Amino acid sequence: MRNRIVAGNWKMNLDHAQAKTLTQEIAQVLGDLPQNQRVMVCPPSIHLNTVAAIASEADGLEVGAQNMHQAASGAYTGEISAGMLKSYDIHSVLLGHSERREYFHEDSALLRQKVDAALENSLEVIFCFGEQLAQRENDTHFEVVSAQLKDALFHLTADQWSKIVLAYEPVWAIGTGRTATPEQAQEMHAHIRSFVRDQYGDSCADQLSILYGGSVKPNNAAEIFGQPDVDGGLIGGASLKTEDFLAIVAAMK
Ligand code: 13P
């Protein structure tokens, strides 16, 4: 059975006290999750240790990083490495988010290096990708998404794919309030799974969790998560409010 996952990407939001409060509130309510369900928060790196300490006292709440550098160590002012994350007991990292691609010029060649560095340190990679509005409008969205996956991930072995989670986030749906319809999400997720199946075979494709991200809210989560190839969500804005995030977690069933 595939894992169903709801992960909150806090982006560059919340100060220390706010990060503590949000984590405590989520942790208090979360309790026992069904065996195939996972819940994660991805705070700014400066809050990782605090959030991880609170989460470790609670059942079921996992913590991931939003980014990391591809090198093991060295003169890279302002950066953090996979090994540093691991040394703080952080086991997952988002890579390839569209904001990293757009504002920090991360391309597939760089992401490939970051993926390799994460896997060398046994981190799980939540790999984000998705087309821009113009690409959907000119009907190249399937090609774009296939290339993003192939260029950054298809050098991996089938075994390494057990540490990969995919997060399809159409750029036009991020932070816009304009979510993909459940049909658009399902159509793309089915494409993604079959693209991975062609390259890696049934067991890899059938075990792969593919999350949807882009304006997921309490009022649309259940319908999106109810699609057969949608295995949960990567949540931005709504992950900053306890009640909204927990309502989205509850929609995972
Ligand atoms: P929103 O949920 O705010 O649209 O953000 C989605 C996202 O980018 C998660 O990584």
Side-chain angles (χ1 to χ4, degrees):
M1 202 196 293
R2 284 201 287 277
N3 279 328
R4 292 173 72 71
I5 305 171
V6 165
N9 175 8
W10 293 359
K11 307 191 180 182
M12 194 175 74
N13 292 295
L14 308 182
D15 67 17
H16 193 211
Q18 291 167 327
K20 272 195 207 167
T21 304
L22 180 56
T23 312
Q24 279 159 351
E25 287 176 355
I26 294 168
Q28 262 167 23
V29 178
L30 206 54
D32 278 345
L33 289 164
Q35 225 194 340
N36 70 325
Q37 287 189 16
R38 298 173 55 194
V39 176
M40 188 185 296
V41 290
C42 301
S45 56
I46 195 168
H47 301 323
L48 277 169
N49 199 30
T50 297
V51 169
I54 299 169
S56 71
E57 302 287 310
D59 283 334
L61 184 59
E62 300 178 44
V63 182
Q66 294 178 16
N67 180 39
M68 47 158 258
H69 195 271
Q70 65 276 18
S73 63
Y76 301 104
T77 301
E79 295 290 328
I80 57 172
S81 71
M84 290 173 193
L85 291 173
K86 208 173 162 208
S87 72
Y88 276 94
D89 267 340
I90 304 297
H91 300 292
S92 303
V93 62
L94 305 180
L95 292 177
H97 194 281
S98 69
E99 290 147 17
R100 301 289 320 169
R101 293 176 192 259
E102 182 178 354
Y103 306 133
F104 302 94
H105 314 295
E106 296 196 0
D107 61 11
S108 294
L110 175 70
L111 290 170
R112 200 177 148 114
Q113 292 178 43
K114 289 194 176 200
V115 167
D116 288 345
L119 295 180
E120 273 161 30
N121 285 277
S122 309
L123 297 181
E124 172 185 65
V125 173
I126 301 179
F127 186 79
C128 310
F129 57 98
E131 81 283 0
Q132 292 169 356
L133 183 59
Q135 294 165 331
R136 180 159 282 263
E137 284 176 347
N138 68 19
D139 215 20
T140 54
H141 46 296
F142 293 115
E143 266 167 65
V144 167
V145 157
S146 300
Q148 287 172 326
L149 293 175
K150 183 165 170 278
D151 294 348
L153 298 176
F154 274 20
H155 64 293
L156 300 177
T157 64
D159 278 355
Q160 285 178 307
W161 272 78
S162 64
K163 297 288 259 182
I164 302 286
V165 169
L166 298 182
Y168 167 60
E169 300 202 296
V171 177
W172 47 271
I174 295 178
T176 59
R178 178 183 166 189
T179 185
T181 64
E183 294 74 26
Q184 285 173 322
Q186 169 55 26
E187 185 188 34
M188 182 57 89
H189 282 226
H191 166 77
I192 293 162
R193 199 177 304 285
S194 99
F195 191 62
V196 172
R197 189 182 306 280
D198 288 347
Q199 181 74 11
Y200 287 100
D202 288 340
S203 98
C204 185
D206 290 336
Q207 280 166 39
L208 178 65
S209 297
I210 310 177
L211 315 185
Y212 168 81
S215 298
V216 177
K217 306 289 175 199
N219 65 3
N220 60 24
E223 210 185 345
I224 297 173
F225 297 171
Q227 301 303 308
D229 284 295
V230 179
D231 305 308
L234 184 56
I235 320 301
S239 73
L240 299 171
K241 293 189 199 125
T242 308
E243 213 177 291
D244 286 359
F245 186 64
L246 290 171
I248 293 169
V249 167
M252 228 187 327
K253 293 192 178 69

